[in-house]
Amino acid sequence: MSLRARRRPAANQQLCGGAGGSWRAAGSAMEDVCAKFVSQKISKARWRPLPAAALQPPDVFATGSWDNEDNRISFWSVGDLVNAGLNGEYHGEPQLLCDIWHNGDVMDMQFLDQERIVVASSTGTVTVFRHHQNNQTLSASQRWEKAHYHVDQDTSCGGAACTGVICNKPEIVTVGEDGRINLFRADQKDAVRTIDNADSSTLHAVTFLRTTEILTVNSIGQLKIWDLRQQRNEPSQIFSLAGDRVPLHCVDRHPNQQHIVATGGQDGMLSIWDIRHGTMPVSLLNAHEAEMWEVRFHPSNPDHLFTCSEDGSLWHWDTSTDISEKPSFLHQGGRSTAYFSHNTINQSVVSAWLSNDPTKDRMEITNLVPNQTLSVNSLDILGPCLVYGTDAEAIYVNRQLFA
């Protein structure tokens, strides 16, 4: 059954805060979405993690660019909703804190901690940038030149794109189009471990399952689990999509149940896997009309999942129990909403994503992009806050997603 949601007319748009470089969508449905036009294609957007005991929502995020003559890593601050203007206007458009030049396209980036972010480059180099909050500057604190390469690491050319990075402080794992896996440790000059021929095809993304286990996805539709305690350079398990070997571009692990994994790929499908059972996905959901670039479980409310695509859409997948009590913003203008019976998708095990619980009889899917244009390349979600970046040279922030 196709899960393609129907489009609805977009909400009217008006300038936000009077700034020529930003706007907000007017009307109750989109009033908390603010855009900033940044004159560069955005490949990645990431919220800065919050301290463990923090109660406030995130207020700083980082972006990376691609396909520009001058690519940059930028840090942004979002204004406080409490300080709205006297006439009730939302003045929370992102403000640039600092930026720094980056060699090559930004292929991926992940925060290592609140001060450092790890960036993967199309040149094969992996760089750790430090954000100096006292004077709002960025500096490269560590760099592994040509961590990924095709022929010889020491030649002037031949670097292979580093396509994915994941951090579990102090460890950093990178994957690349050379099929190589690197394990680095912050503040150590050399790689702790390298699996040179981990894959004969391009590795597109990586995630930690546990502190000693990682999962990779590749360009021929395979998931592979690697146990970093084992010295042998083979995966401990291999999973694959049946039939066509559709390239997988993204992966995320359920934050509370490590055996549940979501992937997306070239065909726009969302796949849900239970890595305890079998070697194939438990659910295959028709989703986007083009490549799915990123998939994210909400880190503290994983009944909610988010995907973005080359087709210009960003979908919110909601499997929480009582849809009748959902906030009304999910049903208002500029969004596409559809309901699907779990029975038509798959009935398998436990968790909202693998459930045959009769109370969970439908999934709601909402398109959060009011007027689709160019590719939505990246998204990140933390607390009530969503940020995403596009090829339309804009970044978008919604700080009250569940309001």
Side-chain angles (χ1 to χ4, degrees), residues 124-198:
T125 293
V126 178
T127 308
V128 181
F129 290 97
R130 184 178 291 274
H131 178 210
H132 305 275
Q133 297 179 46
N134 56 342
N135 59 2
Q136 294 302 343
T137 58
L138 283 164
S139 65
S141 62
Q142 193 160 3
R143 182 174 284 127
W144 294 282
E145 295 283 354
K146 272 199 260 184
H148 295 271
Y149 56 92
H150 282 303
V151 184
D152 184 351
Q153 197 171 20
D154 298 322
T155 57
S156 59
C157 58
C162 177
T163 52
V165 60
I166 193 75
C167 301
N168 186 19
K169 186 179 176 181
E171 295 184 325
I172 300 162
V173 174
T174 69
V175 296
E177 66 176 25
D178 54 357
R180 188 173 274 107
I181 298 173
N182 290 309
L183 173 62
F184 298 107
R185 198 161 279 133
D187 306 320
Q188 284 192 21
K189 180 182 177 183
D190 297 319
V192 176
R193 183 174 178 193
T194 295
I195 304 176
D196 278 319
N197 300 305

Side-chain angles (χ1 to χ4, degrees), residues 314-335:
L314 190 159
W315 284 19
H316 173 192
W317 306 69
D318 182 356
T319 65
S320 55
T321 308
D322 192 353
I323 289 175
S324 65
E325 295 183 5
K326 282 291 167 299
S328 60
F329 86 96
L330 284 175
H331 305 285
Q332 294 172 353
R335 321 225 174 182

Side-chain angles (χ1 to χ4, degrees), residues 209-363:
L209 292 178
R210 300 177 182 80
T211 53
T212 57
E213 269 188 335
I214 58 169
L215 184 146
T216 59
V217 297
N218 68 14
S219 59
I220 57 171
Q222 293 177 321
L223 288 70
K224 297 182 180 180
I225 295 177
W226 306 83
D227 187 339
L228 299 176
R229 296 167 299 186
Q230 303 292 326
Q231 286 310 302
R232 60 195 185 92
N233 292 341
E234 280 101 36
S236 56
Q237 279 181 279
I238 299 177
F239 306 82
S240 66
L241 294 165
D244 297 337
R245 295 191 158 194
V246 177
L248 293 172
H249 292 307
C250 54
V251 61
D252 197 27
R253 187 208 78 197
H254 191 288
N256 307 329
Q257 302 182 58
Q258 286 92 335
H259 57 277
I260 299 174
V261 171
T263 62
Q266 186 169 295
D267 58 2
M269 300 272 283
L270 173 64
S271 302
I272 305 295
W273 308 72
D274 183 345
I275 59 174
R276 302 169 304 178
H277 303 290
T279 58
M280 294 171 60
V282 295
S283 297
L284 273 173
L285 309 178
N286 270 341
H288 300 281
E289 310 258 348
E291 294 93 335
M292 184 189 296
W293 293 128
E294 288 196 343
V295 57
R296 286 274 184 275
F297 285 102
H298 191 288
S300 55
N301 194 354
D303 283 355
H304 300 265
L305 179 138
F306 299 81
T307 58
C308 63
S309 169
E310 180 72 25
D311 69 9
S313 65
L314 190 159
W315 284 19
H316 173 192
W317 306 69
D318 182 356
T319 65
S320 55
T321 308
D322 192 353
I323 289 175
S324 65
E325 295 183 5
K326 282 291 167 299
S328 60
F329 86 96
L330 284 175
H331 305 285
Q332 294 172 353
R335 321 225 174 182
S336 313
T337 302
Y339 300 92
F340 306 98
S341 164
H342 269 270
N343 297 325
T344 64
I345 297 169
N346 197 313
Q347 289 194 347
S348 31
V349 244
V350 267
S351 150
W353 293 101
L354 311 172
S355 178
N356 54 15
D357 180 343
T359 64
K360 299 184 189 303
D361 62 346
R362 44 184 194 168
M363 178 189 298

Side-chain angles (χ1 to χ4, degrees), residues 97-109:
L97 294 175
C98 51
D99 63 358
I100 192 170
W101 177 78
H102 179 264
N103 184 23
D105 293 341
V106 174
M107 302 294 288
D108 198 8
M109 60 184 198

